[in-house]
Amino acid sequence: MNDTIPSREMLIDGRFRDAGETRPVINPATGEAFAEVALADAAMTAEAIAAARRAQPAWGALAPLERAGYMRRIAAAIRSEAEAYARLIVREQGKPINEARGEVDGAAGFFDFFAEYARRIQGEILPSDHAGEQIWIQRVPIGVVGAIIPWNYPFALVARKVAPALIAGDTIVLKSHEDTPLSALAMARIFQAAGLPAGVVNILTGTGAVVGEALCNSADLDLITMTGSVPTGKRIMGNAAKNLTPVSLELGGKAPFIVMADSDVDMAVRSAVTSRYMNCGQVCICNERTYVERSVYDEFVEKFVAASKALRIGDPMEDSTDLGPKISRAELEKVEARVAEAVGEGAEIVIGGGRPENPPHPGGFYYSPTVITGVRPGMGILKSEVFGPVVPIMPFDSFDEAVSHANDGRYGLSAYLFTNDIAKIMRTVNEVAFGEIYVNRVGPESLQGFHVGYHDSGLGGDDGSHGLETYLRKKTVYVNYSGAPTSALMPYGG
Ligand code: NAD
């Protein structure tokens, strides 16, 4: 592909299709448009759903190993042009190239990982109440999936939704985010080149207000899986409820990062820095609020500030860049508003607190690494998600206090603990109400884990066998092979 931008046509029913309306794609590092994509309308969305519906029975009827064959070809195709895909991600999303390479590798990993389930989707055999009868429960495809993704991992999140759907025997209609459609279009070309039958995967570019609404109001989807923000997740669930369509929602986070005095403080600092600044702080599992035991608080803040100052803000296409731009002007302004709110509530800015004086490009959406102290429980900066390179650091005096801070909020996705005390580790596991607990390490989550958030962080989850379960449903089968009628009694009234 070599830095070529995929053509703007979307994949519907095995064909590439344009639409009348278009939207520019902006490079966050420069603020300049560099491509145009088509915007699907409600009718095209309905066509894509109908194509997926037509394609599903034959796709679901293939031997899983045959479906896995397509998936392995997709993984190989991703790897074969990994650098070009990484560069495309950087251009439309702005993460540093090293991180984009990791994203591409992760995307291939989803296809390889779920292909392994070809021989692992199992059922159960149960004893019958009647002689000469067999009962079993088998897993079958859920059917047609609607998938909606955000902009922060525009390539890997396509894989995270499509790979489990394919091995389960489902067909899928996926909508990319408005700001990052090109990665999904590149994937569409990979799917087509891998020879997937028409309609098995359909990729739409378009807005949430048109394509997203059309998907979520459709009476012909069997599952809606969405990764994105809490307000959108709630709206999707409301729309899906009208047709009783099941939803799986991976929403926001406000991860607490607890550092105990007994931990290796240098390792905790390094990890806290990585976990806050990766992808310019635009990750649902990012360290969003750091709590440090008071006896090591000053040391921690000093080292964290030094490490933050050492980060190289730059052109995300350069290997040496640690921190690239935010995704868009709107998202940059959201971060500015959160920091202004914190200052208004009495917090202190230790470093940063605004756009860099000499950004790598004047039009880029850059924000400086920002460390905030003087925060108190209840402040907005400790409660609302800040998708940016901004971290409040707060001291605590006891482990109980740290647990209580961690649980103080509506989000429940990821939580971090740095300690060498097994009792504190176990208490965190038991008492911190988050779906993912990282002890003495940072993310990302593993393929075989279960990426699951509690409370406002979502419903359902992705990855591993539990994530795959979302894409399957169960069927109970009763087979009478006795040659005689089974009991005429109908104990439950039929
Ligand atoms: P967003 O909610 O604005 O958009 C997500 C997607 O929903 C987009 O594709 C958008 O077009 C679509 N959408 C918007 N309105 C819609 C509607 N009415 N009906 C259907 N679809 C609609 O979120 P975002 O700004 O793209 O992403 C950032 C958020 O995603 C953050 O809160 C972040 O924490 C979260 N996120 C969560 C995870 C996770 O796994 N839990 C991973 C990445 C990002």
Side-chain angles (χ1 to χ4, degrees):
M1 241 177 78
N2 293 329
D3 271 20
T4 42
I5 294 160
S7 116
R8 70 183 188 204
E9 283 127 15
M10 301 169 262
L11 180 60
I12 302 175
D13 200 10
R15 286 192 304 127
F16 286 101
R17 300 259 308 273
D18 206 346
E21 264 195 275
T22 61
R23 177 187 162 108
V25 186
I26 310 288
N27 179 344
T30 63
E32 288 159 9
F34 68 98
E36 290 247 312
V37 289
L39 295 178
D41 58 18
M44 293 175 97
T45 309
E47 279 180 53
I49 295 171
R53 178 63 63 195
R54 280 193 302 277
Q56 197 280 324
W59 179 250
L62 288 181
L65 204 56
E66 212 171 322
R67 294 199 293 266
Y70 287 97
M71 296 168 68
R72 293 198 189 282
R73 282 203 290 285
I74 292 167
I78 292 172
R79 292 203 169 93
S80 74
E81 300 225 44
E83 187 63 16
Y85 296 128
R87 293 176 73 83
L88 185 67
I89 294 170
V90 174
R91 283 187 84 182
E92 69 170 353
Q93 197 265 326
K95 62 167 58 79
I97 184 78
N98 286 318
E99 292 189 38
R101 289 179 184 127
E103 177 171 350
V104 173
D105 192 49
F110 278 115
F111 286 98
D112 276 341
F113 175 79
F114 280 110
E116 289 174 18
Y117 278 85
R119 297 189 175 101
R120 290 186 191 151
I121 296 176
Q122 299 172 351
E124 293 156 42
I125 293 179
L126 301 167
S128 169
D129 296 342
H130 308 284
E133 185 180 86
Q134 186 67 65
I135 305 176
W136 71 83
I137 297 173
Q138 68 185 72
R139 288 183 165 79
V140 297
I142 200 163
V144 179
V145 177
I148 297 173
I149 61 170
W151 45 261
N152 60 346
Y153 287 90
F155 199 78
L157 287 175
V158 175
R160 191 181 224 171
K161 306 290 189 197
V162 171
L166 291 185
I167 199 64
D170 301 330
T171 54
I172 185 165
V173 179
L174 180 138
K175 184 192 100 59
S176 60
H177 191 277
E178 289 84 332
D179 290 340
T180 52
L182 299 174
S183 298
L185 291 177
M187 276 283 202
R189 272 138 191 96
I190 295 171
F191 298 143
Q192 192 74 343
L196 279 180
V200 169
V201 179
N202 304 272
I203 303 283
L204 300 176
T205 52
T207 65
V210 175
V211 180
E213 287 283 320
L215 279 173
C216 299
N217 283 293
S218 168
D220 204 22
L221 289 179
D222 302 301
L223 169 71
I224 295 167
T225 171
M226 174 266 197
T227 302
S229 65
V230 177
T232 307
K234 288 182 178 172
R235 168 138 192 113
I236 286 175
M237 194 167 172
N239 282 334
K242 294 176 212 155
N243 295 303
L244 288 181
T245 309
V247 293
S248 177
L249 303 171
E250 321 305 322
L251 307 179
K254 188 75 192 167
F257 193 106
I258 301 171
V259 180
M260 302 303 303
D262 72 77
S263 66
D264 174 338
V265 174
D266 288 329
M267 181 172 106
V269 169
R270 270 202 312 280
S271 305
V273 165
T274 305
S275 173
R276 173 65 279 186
Y277 297 118
M278 60 186 174
N279 200 4
C280 198
Q282 305 169 118
V283 191
C284 54
I285 64 165
C286 268
N287 161 20
E288 283 258 344
R289 46 197 174 113
T290 307
Y291 300 106
V292 184
E293 195 164 7
R294 196 175 297 276
S295 59
V296 293
Y297 177 77
D298 288 343
E299 176 191 354
F300 183 95
V301 172
E302 190 186 315
K303 289 178 170 169
F304 190 96
V305 166
S308 303
K309 282 184 180 161
L311 292 173
R312 290 158 302 190
I313 302 178
D315 177 349
M317 210 58 99
E318 298 293 329
D319 274 343
S320 56
T321 294
D322 298 314
L323 199 67
K326 291 257 320 140
I327 174 73
S328 63
R329 187 171 307 285
E331 285 291 323
L332 175 65
E333 287 168 359
K334 273 193 210 168
V335 172
E336 288 175 328
R338 291 260 184 268
V339 173
E341 179 198 34
V343 172
E345 289 181 322
E348 292 153 30
I349 306 286
V350 185
I351 52 160
R355 304 181 191 189
E357 274 176 23
N358 295 307
H361 188 289
F365 309 129
Y366 288 90
Y367 197 84
S368 302
T370 297
V371 177
I372 298 181
T373 57
V375 289
R376 293 181 312 280
M379 281 185 173
I381 197 81
L382 293 173
K383 296 266 188 192
S384 312
E385 188 176 46
V386 182
F387 237 40
V390 174
V391 69
I393 310 183
M394 188 179 147
F396 64 83
D397 291 299
S398 69
F399 180 67
D400 284 341
E401 194 191 329
V403 169
S404 144
H405 289 325
N407 285 331
D408 181 18
R410 292 283 310 161
Y411 289 110
L413 183 57
S414 308
Y416 300 85
L417 171 69
F418 279 71
T419 183
N420 287 309
D421 180 341
I422 184 68
K424 293 191 173 71
I425 294 172
M426 294 313 296
R427 278 196 54 198
T428 300
V429 171
N430 294 333
E431 296 172 31
V432 172
F434 283 65
E436 276 178 1
I437 310 276
Y438 294 91
V439 179
N440 296 329
R441 60 157 285 189
V442 293
E445 57 274 15
S446 294
L447 289 166
Q448 65 272 35
F450 186 41
H451 184 53
V452 58
Y454 300 169
H455 319 304
D456 274 5
S457 291
L459 275 180
D462 275 328
D463 308 338
S465 35
H466 296 284
L468 178 58
E469 200 66 33
T470 309
Y471 292 81
L472 294 158
R473 57 185 163 192
K474 296 176 193 78
K475 183 173 278 190
T476 307
V477 182
Y478 299 86
V479 175
N480 169 19
Y481 58 90
S482 69
T486 49
S487 169
L489 291 175
M490 301 287 278
Y492 305 114

